[in-house]
């Protein structure tokens, strides 16, 4: 009925069949303050503590668990394929 939709569906089917997509799905707690990150977890959020064009972040926001999860997911994507999707539930 709609030729454009059929073409889009066919292209999407092709991607689904022939392409590997890395998806990292998580449900980290949205705790207002999860405690100071230590060790490896501190290293995860350090990447966000260094800025070039804006003021350095202050406060405890970068210690929240969902920030650590997002950074861990970014790292995994870079290690595996340089391409991927990060999702929160």
């Amino acid at each position: 009925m709609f030729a454009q939709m059929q073409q889009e569906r066919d292209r999407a089917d092709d991607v689904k069949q022939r392409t590997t997509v890395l998806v990292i799905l998580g449900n980290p707690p949205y705790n207002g303050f999860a405690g100071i990150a230590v060790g490896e977890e501190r290293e995860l959020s350090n990447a966000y503590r260094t800025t070039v064009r804006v003021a350095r972040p202050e406060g405890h926001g970068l210690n929240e668990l969902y920030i650590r999860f997002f950074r861990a997911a970014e790292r995994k994507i870079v290690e595996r394929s340089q391409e991927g999707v990060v999702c929160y539930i």
Side-chain angles (χ1 to χ4, degrees):
M1 184 171 176
F2 298 102
Q4 294 88 355
M5 292 180 78
Q6 179 66 39
Q7 292 171 355
E8 184 67 24
R9 192 193 86 193
D10 292 343
R11 286 187 296 221
D13 284 344
D14 185 54
V15 168
K16 292 175 192 175
Q17 297 300 317
R18 301 178 196 275
T19 306
T20 300
V21 178
L22 175 61
V23 176
I24 300 177
L25 179 65
N27 187 14
Y30 290 87
N31 189 345
F33 178 65
I36 300 298
V38 294
E40 182 180 347
E41 288 186 6
R42 178 66 176 194
E43 292 176 23
L44 288 172
S45 60
N46 280 344
Y48 299 134
R49 293 177 198 283
T50 305
T51 61
V52 176
R53 296 184 179 168
V54 296
R56 185 172 181 264
E58 296 180 17
H60 297 294
L62 293 177
N63 289 313
E64 294 183 19
L65 292 175
Y66 72 93
I67 299 293
R68 297 180 211 170
F69 169 81
F70 192 86
R71 181 64 180 134
E74 280 184 322
R75 183 179 286 175
K76 183 59 72 177
I77 288 170
V78 168
E79 290 172 356
R80 298 282 303 278
S81 65
Q82 301 286 315
E83 296 179 344
V85 178
V86 178
C87 301
Y88 288 145
I89 296 175

